[in-house]
Amino acid sequence: MTLQRLLAVPLPSLFILLLLNAHRSNAFSLSSAYTNAAAAALVRSRHPSAPTTSIDRFCFPHIAPPLLPSLFRRRKYLTKLASTKSYTDESFSHHTESPLPSFRSVRSITRHPRLPVWPVWNGVAIFFLSKIFGEAIGDAIEDALGGRVCPISFLEGVPGGGYYNTDPFLLVVHHNHSFGIGDPLRFFQRKFILPEGFPAHPHRGFSTLTYCMKGGMVHRDSSGLKQRYGENGEGGAVAQWMVAGGGMLHEEMWDVTNDWFDRQELYQIWINLPSFKKLGKTSASLLGGEGGAHVPKETTVGTETDVLVGDHGGKSSGFDPPTDVCVLHVRMRAGSTWTHKMASGHETAMLYVRRGSVSVDGVEVPSHSVAHLSTKGETVMVKSTESGGRNILKEAFGGSEVTEFLADFLLLTGSPLEEPVAASGTMVMNNNEEVNAAGNDYQKGLMGMPWEHTISDEDWMEHVKKYPNQYATNNISNLIESKD
């Protein structure tokens, strides 16, 4: 939006728009329809020739990236936002006749907190070393030894929050851990505080994609399904796509096979389901290896790409997701260039750097940061930077530059669902009434009943037979009708 157009809106009206944007969570909780309609009317009165979709995308910060960032949640990112090319006028690009840009640009870069766990003492040590020697040293130590988890939630402030800039992605969690005999707290912790994994817990209304890069997971759920994926996965499977649908309980425990020292690293991604699939059947599908959906690898000079979901470079994943998304794991050597042609309708695009650093449209994205990309453009182009091709720890101790794939990132793209979102814990629905209904169904045992993660497979199977998951059966429509 140009300065002239901004000044064309009367100052009292502009002040209202600023307040609505800065406090959009409260405004939407009071009366989303009224505030949106009022804001749209203000702009439309000054620009009657503007397309309705352009006006709505400016006045509805929950649908598209807001032009006026929140005065509170995003103030520390204003400098980075202002330095990116896409910040200038993307929200009103519909007003001109200029062609769509060829390449996606960086809209914002954020680095989210990393929490110490598995082992806690290692994560705490990394925190202090990062403060003394810099984040790059801390990141390199974590990459070697683990000890932290980074939960990146896009649900903050819903309704009207960050999710609508990442639709249909809800959450990305980067786990990086190690389990070993050298951890003095390990056996006490898993016995009395925190087990090594996630005991039985419920989900409803979305999908999870869990992708193991080191180690693996063992999954058991309330439908009686057990799966193992990762380095010791069934038939070489490296990932699992789970559809929670109407409701499922499952446990996810770390597949620790070496008590002396065992490394674990994975991503878990939450992907929203369209409203008509939120009460559908549950399922869990393996990806990769002989027993799972095909995960092709595309190789170019200096790059490797694992196509977990979607298409890239003429190769397609063997998995057909219930939500239109693409998930790519990319590794790059120093100085290499990687490109991806965006699928039709994939307005949402973000990039998480696992290791090293990369450059997107001239903007450097450092390690352990998320780059949210612009919504327009046919191609994503990524270049490995100098720091992305160097081993910082080896250089610090007199080593030399190495040539492995040291720039490593995850690219997520998708078609926005543009549906309202209400979330509480592990339930993601379209409104608060549906979230409350999910909690009630869980309490009634309709999704099954929790079990101890320490019980044997035989006892677990007897348990799920005694307390069956109603949403894993074929009579879902009958169940929903009986509830009405």
Side-chain angles (χ1 to χ4, degrees), residues 295-372:
V295 176
K297 185 186 300 290
E298 196 262 351
T299 303
T300 63
V301 177
T303 74
E304 279 187 357
T305 305
D306 292 326
V307 186
L308 296 166
V309 182
D311 305 285
H312 172 73
K315 297 183 179 180
S316 301
S317 166
F319 180 73
D320 184 19
T323 307
D324 184 14
V325 297
C326 178
V327 180
L328 306 175
H329 178 202
V330 184
R331 297 166 294 281
M332 305 178 67
R333 289 193 172 92
S336 60
T337 299
W338 179 88
T339 59
H340 171 69
K341 182 175 175 57
M342 296 290 293
S344 176
H346 281 209
E347 293 187 4
T348 297
M350 71 188 86
L351 181 150
Y352 172 81
V353 180
R354 173 192 177 204
R355 183 188 301 139
S357 63
V358 298
S359 172
V360 180
D361 198 35
V363 178
E364 183 171 352
V365 185
S367 174
H368 293 173
S369 299
V370 179
H372 297 272

Side-chain angles (χ1 to χ4, degrees), residues 125-327:
I126 292 173
F127 172 80
F128 286 106
L129 289 172
S130 298
K131 296 303 178 183
I132 298 172
F133 300 106
E135 294 286 1
I137 292 294
D139 293 348
I141 296 173
E142 178 192 319
D143 186 56
L145 300 176
R148 296 196 292 186
V149 60
C150 181
I152 306 169
S153 175
F154 305 126
L155 283 167
E156 181 184 356
V158 167
Y163 160 73
Y164 296 97
N165 295 332
T166 62
D167 186 359
F169 299 101
L170 304 164
L171 173 78
V172 174
V173 184
H174 181 198
H175 286 277
N176 201 347
H177 310 298
S178 62
F179 300 94
I181 199 169
D183 180 3
L185 300 177
R186 179 188 175 193
F187 297 98
F188 175 81
Q189 177 177 284
R190 73 181 183 184
K191 180 73 173 178
F192 300 105
I193 302 176
L194 184 67
E196 293 178 350
F198 310 91
H201 56 281
H203 291 290
R204 172 182 278 185
F206 63 100
S207 300
T208 64
L209 171 61
T210 309
Y211 169 46
C212 298
M213 294 162 287
K214 299 175 184 176
M217 298 295 286
V218 179
H219 161 106
R220 296 191 299 188
D221 64 41
S222 55
S223 67
L225 177 66
K226 179 179 180 179
Q227 292 179 331
R228 189 180 188 185
Y229 53 97
E231 289 181 340
N232 301 300
E234 302 169 14
V238 296
Q240 179 206 61
W241 185 293
M242 188 189 79
V243 179
M248 171 191 284
L249 273 69
H250 76 142
E251 68 175 18
E252 304 161 284
M253 308 304 293
W254 297 109
D255 190 10
V256 179
T257 58
N258 183 356
D259 277 335
W260 286 96
F261 185 75
D262 198 292
R263 286 284 282 116
Q264 303 282 338
E265 185 178 8
L266 63 77
Y267 292 116
Q268 184 166 94
I269 307 164
W270 290 15
I271 303 106
N272 201 11
L273 285 170
S275 57
F276 69 92
K277 294 182 180 180
K278 285 185 175 290
L279 291 179
K281 293 181 64 174
T282 65
S283 65
S285 304
L286 294 177
L287 283 65
E290 298 176 359
H294 181 50
V295 176
K297 185 186 300 290
E298 196 262 351
T299 303
T300 63
V301 177
T303 74
E304 279 187 357
T305 305
D306 292 326
V307 186
L308 296 166
V309 182
D311 305 285
H312 172 73
K315 297 183 179 180
S316 301
S317 166
F319 180 73
D320 184 19
T323 307
D324 184 14
V325 297
C326 178
V327 180

Side-chain angles (χ1 to χ4, degrees), residues 45-59:
S45 65
R46 306 300 301 181
H47 305 284
S49 61
T52 302
T53 55
S54 300
I55 295 173
D56 291 344
R57 284 188 176 274
F58 170 65
C59 299

